[in-house]
Amino acid sequence: MNPLELYKKLPKKNCGKCSLKTCMPFALAVVKGDADLAECPLLSEAEVTEIKGSLVLSDWREELILKLREEIKGIRFSEVAEGIGAKTEGDGLVLKCFGREFRISPEGDITTQGRMTPWIKILILHYIRTSGKGPLAGRHVSFSELRGGMVKASSFERECEEPLRGLFENNYEKTAQILGRMGRLLDKGFPTAHAWELFLLPKVPLLILYWPRDEEFPAKVKMLFDASADRFLDVESLIFLVEGLVKNIEMSH
Ligand code: SF4
């Protein structure tokens, strides 16, 4: 289903109650997998289910979610919970992503309070499937130092660090405020006063450093990971994770 076809099925009220505020951008975001159709309160549950039925066919993210859900069905949550920094609750799992709690059923259904996107679902399912274990290394490394990171380093810079630098330059106050809400500002021990730590997933902290432009140098963003990050997510997933983070910050601007 393309965005126009989806738009025709929306209430077309431009009421502002979904995250995109008007219907056409909302249709575009849903088709891209950046928003959940259920966010529109003017659609009944039955309508959401019916429309999603047609969306699944054209959305690779939904197909990936189905595949990952199948894969985690074979995982015993009680055996992997501690390693990935989650806890069990009944026969399900509870873990934090961006500081928010998510509940995962043995069948791979994910629930939380508030907004849910395919991006979050893919990350959480992938994180569980990887089933990493062990403590954090407590040492920061650049993306290129992670296993497989060297060959993807330019993609990481282009898709993650550069767009965030643009957001800082565009509106520093707002970007800093959003990062402060998602994580915490670190005021000591770093080569710049603009440093934040965000726990993207329980075992995947991210350190964001920003240097504003000055007379000599252009502005710069550097993102550092704990040296153990590649035990919990592969480098492609880390790019996917941080790219989504930057898009979320952009959408909150
Ligand atoms: S909540 Fe629904 S009707 Fe309102 S703007 Fe969003 S998509 Fe349109």
Side-chain angles (χ1 to χ4, degrees), residues 135-169:
L136 295 179
R139 183 168 55 85
H140 291 117
V141 296
S142 64
F143 181 84
S144 61
E145 290 173 86
L146 297 171
R147 191 176 42 221
M150 189 66 89
V151 287
K152 299 271 175 192
S154 54
S155 304
F156 183 73
E157 191 182 334
R158 191 180 57 245
E159 312 293 341
C160 304
E161 290 174 329
E162 276 303 297
L164 184 60
R165 182 194 54 76
L167 294 178
F168 270 124
E169 291 218 278

Side-chain angles (χ1 to χ4, degrees), residues 7 10-24 26-27 37 39-43:
Y7 172 74
L10 293 177
K12 297 189 279 296
K13 300 278 187 203
N14 292 326
C15 69
K17 290 182 180 160
C18 60
S19 59
L20 277 296
K21 309 298 181 204
T22 53
C23 300
M24 193 61 208
F26 181 68
L37 191 61
E39 272 183 49
C40 173
L42 306 189
L43 288 173

Side-chain angles (χ1 to χ4, degrees), residues 50-205:
E50 189 203 320
I51 300 171
K52 274 190 174 175
S54 351
L55 277 175
V56 165
L57 297 174
S58 59
D59 187 348
W60 64 267
R61 282 168 242 225
E62 292 295 347
E63 286 171 14
L64 180 56
I65 288 167
L66 287 177
K67 182 169 162 279
L68 287 167
R69 283 179 56 159
E70 279 308 307
E71 286 177 12
I72 73 156
K73 276 184 192 164
I75 294 176
R76 280 176 195 266
F77 286 171
S78 57
E79 288 173 8
V80 301
E82 192 182 339
I84 61 173
K87 57 184 185 189
T88 51
E89 189 179 77
D91 53 1
L93 205 56
V94 182
L95 65 76
K96 280 193 175 176
C97 183
F98 294 103
R100 190 147 55 105
E101 257 186 6
F102 290 82
R103 290 184 156 67
I104 304 98
S105 77
E107 291 75 37
D109 287 318
I110 305 178
T111 52
T112 187
Q113 290 216 318
R115 189 162 174 250
M116 170 85 82
T117 63
W119 169 68
I120 293 254
K121 285 186 192 170
I122 290 170
L123 277 175
I124 291 176
L125 293 172
H126 204 59
Y127 182 67
I128 296 170
R129 189 191 66 166
T130 306
S131 301
K133 54 173 98 132
L136 295 179
R139 183 168 55 85
H140 291 117
V141 296
S142 64
F143 181 84
S144 61
E145 290 173 86
L146 297 171
R147 191 176 42 221
M150 189 66 89
V151 287
K152 299 271 175 192
S154 54
S155 304
F156 183 73
E157 191 182 334
R158 191 180 57 245
E159 312 293 341
C160 304
E161 290 174 329
E162 276 303 297
L164 184 60
R165 182 194 54 76
L167 294 178
F168 270 124
E169 291 218 278
N170 198 24
N171 189 339
Y172 173 83
E173 296 301 328
K174 186 80 185 167
T175 307
Q177 188 191 50
I178 296 166
L179 287 175
R181 262 203 322 264
M182 289 177 153
R184 66 187 180 114
L185 180 66
L186 303 170
D187 50 8
K188 284 192 207 101
F190 296 96
T192 168
H194 312 274
W196 293 264
E197 183 184 49
L198 277 66
F199 269 81
L200 308 181
L201 285 155
K203 293 288 186 84
V204 187

